[in-house]
Amino acid sequence: GAGVSQTPSNKVTEKGKYVELRCDPISGHTALYWYRQSLGQGPEFLIYFQGTGAADDSGLPNDRFFAVRPEGSVSTLKIQRTERGDSAVYLCASSPQGRVDTDTQYFGPGTRLTVL
Amino acid sequence: AQSVAQPEDQVNVAEGNPLTVKCTYSVSGNPYLFWYVQYPNRGLQFLLKYITGDNLVKGSYGFEAEFNKSQTSFHLKKPSALVSDSALYFCAVRDIKAAGNKLTFGGGTRVLVKP
């Protein structure tokens, strides 16, 4: 079946601009996660949705970052007033139920964001 | 707080030889442990996980990992490496006592298997 998909695969923007990154989870998965992977590092957690609600947004670095999942499926990560330090690969993952004891998170290919 | 350490930035091994990628973790409670692999320009692919039960976990593509609670380790192993195993490997941990459902990843280990 189809895996997690993310669009666009690459995004180049200028400092100060607004960007939106989209994630389509695996069909039927109720839990959705966003991570950020900087060059040479492991992914870092940003936010976790269970259904439509953000169950844990403790990883969002500041209020320029915001994410939504209005219908409990597709999610959009929004970054306002982008800064060069926001340049990274943004990874989305989904899991069937969000159960911490059994769920496996399945990752998409990522969106590479470059802020000039 | 939960954390993961992958002490080796890179591991070089000859094809056909055993492969080991090291991982140690720190959690306040009991851990859930995961290994993922990342190929160039692709997302993370799940290899295996330890939740409970047998300390030796078998996963995809012939990989296995052994959970050692006393050493707080979860090393990834493969008895006979292939050139196609060359990739970036990430260990991740989830503390069952922590709120939320986030994974904490190590910095990654690059594996290079030479023919």
Side-chain angles (χ1 to χ4, degrees):
Chain A
V4 178
S5 63
Q6 294 185 246
T7 54
S9 56
N10 281 284
K11 176 70 176 179
V12 180
T13 191
E14 295 179 342
K15 181 175 178 293
K17 298 290 187 181
Y18 167 84
V19 296
E20 290 189 351
L21 312 179
R22 175 187 169 108
C23 172
D24 280 88
I26 294 172
S27 178
H29 281 193
T30 63
L32 185 145
Y33 315 79
W34 285 99
Y35 291 82
R36 179 169 70 174
Q37 185 176 18
S38 300
L39 190 63
Q41 298 182 20
E44 294 180 309
F45 171 80
L46 294 176
I47 187 170
Y48 154 53
F49 286 90
Q50 181 63 266
T52 60
D56 182 358
D57 64 357
S58 63
L60 294 177
N62 51 60
D63 61 6
R64 295 188 298 105
F65 289 74
F66 189 71
V68 296
R69 195 186 185 200
E71 298 179 355
S73 179
V74 171
S75 176
T76 304
L77 178 65
K78 308 180 180 190
I79 310 174
Q80 298 177 323
R81 305 183 304 280
T82 53
E83 300 177 356
R84 292 192 180 88
D86 299 334
S87 296
V89 176
Y90 289 80
L91 296 169
C92 177
S94 70
S95 69
Q97 299 175 347
R99 284 187 56 171
V100 301
D101 57 340
T102 58
D103 267 20
T104 295
Q105 296 180 26
Y106 296 94
F107 284 79
T111 293
R112 182 176 300 277
L113 175 65
T114 303
V115 182
L116 301 177
Chain B
Q2 53 193 42
S3 65
V4 175
Q6 294 182 241
E8 301 157 316
D9 290 337
Q10 181 159 323
V11 170
N12 297 318
V13 63
E15 187 174 32
N17 282 2
L19 169 64
T20 298
V21 186
K22 295 179 181 178
C23 171
T24 58
Y25 66 89
S26 175
V27 295
S28 57
N30 289 322
Y32 297 135
L33 294 155
F34 303 81
W35 275 101
Y36 286 85
V37 60
Q38 188 174 40
Y39 296 98
N41 300 316
R42 294 173 66 176
L44 298 171
Q45 294 181 31
F46 170 74
L47 280 178
L48 52 80
K49 66 182 178 183
Y50 171 81
I51 302 298
T52 187
D54 194 345
N55 290 342
L56 184 63
V57 178
K58 294 186 182 297
S60 307
Y61 312 118
F63 284 94
E64 59 187 29
E66 185 166 13
F67 170 62
N68 187 317
K69 188 172 183 178
S70 63
Q71 297 186 2
T72 62
S73 67
F74 190 57
H75 301 330
L76 181 69
K77 299 181 180 182
K78 185 171 184 179
S80 179
L82 301 173
V83 172
S84 57
D85 294 328
S86 298
L88 192 53
Y89 291 79
F90 290 97
C91 182
V93 69
R94 164 76 173 86
D95 186 342
I96 64 172
K97 283 191 173 183
N101 197 19
K102 64 182 179 183
L103 293 176
T104 298
F105 286 84
T109 298
R110 187 166 302 280
V111 170
L112 181 60
V113 182
K114 298 180 180 179

